[in-house]
Short mmCIF file of all heavy atoms in Angstrom, two decimals:
data_model
loop_
_atom_site.label_atom_id
_atom_site.label_comp_id
_atom_site.label_asym_id
_atom_site.label_seq_id
_atom_site.Cartn_x
_atom_site.Cartn_y
_atom_site.Cartn_z
N ILE Y 1100 -74.77 150.20 50.37
CA ILE Y 1100 -73.88 151.27 49.93
C ILE Y 1100 -72.90 151.57 51.07
O ILE Y 1100 -73.15 151.17 52.20
CB ILE Y 1100 -74.72 152.55 49.58
CG1 ILE Y 1100 -74.03 153.41 48.53
CG2 ILE Y 1100 -75.04 153.38 50.82
CD1 ILE Y 1100 -74.14 152.90 47.13
N GLU Y 1102 -71.64 154.77 52.84
CA GLU Y 1102 -71.84 156.22 52.96
C GLU Y 1102 -72.05 156.58 54.43
O GLU Y 1102 -72.45 155.74 55.24
CB GLU Y 1102 -73.09 156.66 52.17
CG GLU Y 1102 -74.36 156.05 52.73
CD GLU Y 1102 -75.65 156.76 52.35
OE1 GLU Y 1102 -75.61 157.94 52.02
OE2 GLU Y 1102 -76.70 156.10 52.41
N HIS Y 1104 -73.64 157.73 57.77
CA HIS Y 1104 -74.97 157.61 58.38
C HIS Y 1104 -75.00 158.41 59.67
O HIS Y 1104 -74.86 157.85 60.76
CB HIS Y 1104 -75.30 156.14 58.64
CG HIS Y 1104 -75.99 155.50 57.49
ND1 HIS Y 1104 -75.31 155.05 56.39
CD2 HIS Y 1104 -77.30 155.27 57.24
CE1 HIS Y 1104 -76.18 154.58 55.52
NE2 HIS Y 1104 -77.38 154.69 56.00
N THR Y 1112 -74.29 150.75 57.14
CA THR Y 1112 -75.62 150.56 57.75
C THR Y 1112 -76.65 149.96 56.79
O THR Y 1112 -77.33 148.99 57.12
CB THR Y 1112 -76.14 151.90 58.31
OG1 THR Y 1112 -75.30 152.27 59.40
CG2 THR Y 1112 -77.57 151.80 58.81
N ASP Y 1113 -76.78 150.54 55.60
CA ASP Y 1113 -77.84 150.10 54.67
C ASP Y 1113 -77.68 148.64 54.28
O ASP Y 1113 -78.66 147.90 54.20
CB ASP Y 1113 -77.85 150.97 53.41
CG ASP Y 1113 -78.32 152.37 53.71
OD1 ASP Y 1113 -78.89 152.59 54.79
OD2 ASP Y 1113 -78.12 153.25 52.86
N ASP Y 1116 -78.33 146.33 57.35
CA ASP Y 1116 -79.77 146.22 57.61
C ASP Y 1116 -80.50 145.37 56.57
O ASP Y 1116 -81.28 144.50 56.91
CB ASP Y 1116 -80.42 147.62 57.62
CG ASP Y 1116 -80.30 148.29 58.99
OD1 ASP Y 1116 -79.89 147.62 59.95
OD2 ASP Y 1116 -80.65 149.48 59.08
N GLY Y 1182 -81.49 148.56 50.30
CA GLY Y 1182 -81.40 149.11 51.64
C GLY Y 1182 -81.08 150.60 51.64
O GLY Y 1182 -80.96 151.20 52.69
N HIS Y 1183 -80.95 151.20 50.46
CA HIS Y 1183 -80.42 152.56 50.37
C HIS Y 1183 -81.29 153.46 49.49
O HIS Y 1183 -81.52 153.16 48.31
CB HIS Y 1183 -78.99 152.46 49.82
CG HIS Y 1183 -78.39 153.75 49.37
ND1 HIS Y 1183 -78.30 154.84 50.19
CD2 HIS Y 1183 -77.86 154.11 48.17
CE1 HIS Y 1183 -77.73 155.82 49.51
NE2 HIS Y 1183 -77.46 155.41 48.29
N GLY Y 1184 -81.74 154.58 50.06
CA GLY Y 1184 -82.63 155.51 49.35
C GLY Y 1184 -82.08 155.97 48.01
O GLY Y 1184 -82.82 156.07 47.03
N GLY Y 1231 -85.52 159.55 58.03
CA GLY Y 1231 -85.16 159.17 56.67
C GLY Y 1231 -83.72 158.75 56.49
O GLY Y 1231 -83.39 158.02 55.56
N HIS Y 1232 -82.83 159.19 57.38
CA HIS Y 1232 -81.44 158.77 57.21
C HIS Y 1232 -80.74 158.85 58.57
O HIS Y 1232 -80.47 159.95 59.06
CB HIS Y 1232 -80.72 159.65 56.18
CG HIS Y 1232 -79.41 159.07 55.74
ND1 HIS Y 1232 -79.31 157.94 54.97
CD2 HIS Y 1232 -78.14 159.46 56.01
CE1 HIS Y 1232 -78.04 157.67 54.75
NE2 HIS Y 1232 -77.31 158.56 55.38
N ALA Y 1233 -80.44 157.69 59.14
CA ALA Y 1233 -79.80 157.59 60.45
C ALA Y 1233 -80.67 158.16 61.56
O ALA Y 1233 -80.19 158.43 62.66
CB ALA Y 1233 -78.41 158.26 60.44
N GLU Y 1237 -83.78 154.00 61.35
CA GLU Y 1237 -82.54 153.30 61.01
C GLU Y 1237 -81.70 153.03 62.26
O GLU Y 1237 -81.04 151.98 62.37
CB GLU Y 1237 -81.73 154.13 60.02
CG GLU Y 1237 -81.20 153.30 58.88
CD GLU Y 1237 -80.71 154.14 57.71
OE1 GLU Y 1237 -80.47 155.36 57.87
OE2 GLU Y 1237 -80.56 153.57 56.65
ZN1 ZN R 1099 -79.35 154.26 55.36
#
Side-chain angles (χ1 to χ4, degrees):
I1100 208 77
E1102 64 160 337
H1104 270 80
T1112 293
D1113 291 345
D1116 275 351
H1183 166 56
H1232 193 70
E1237 226 165 17

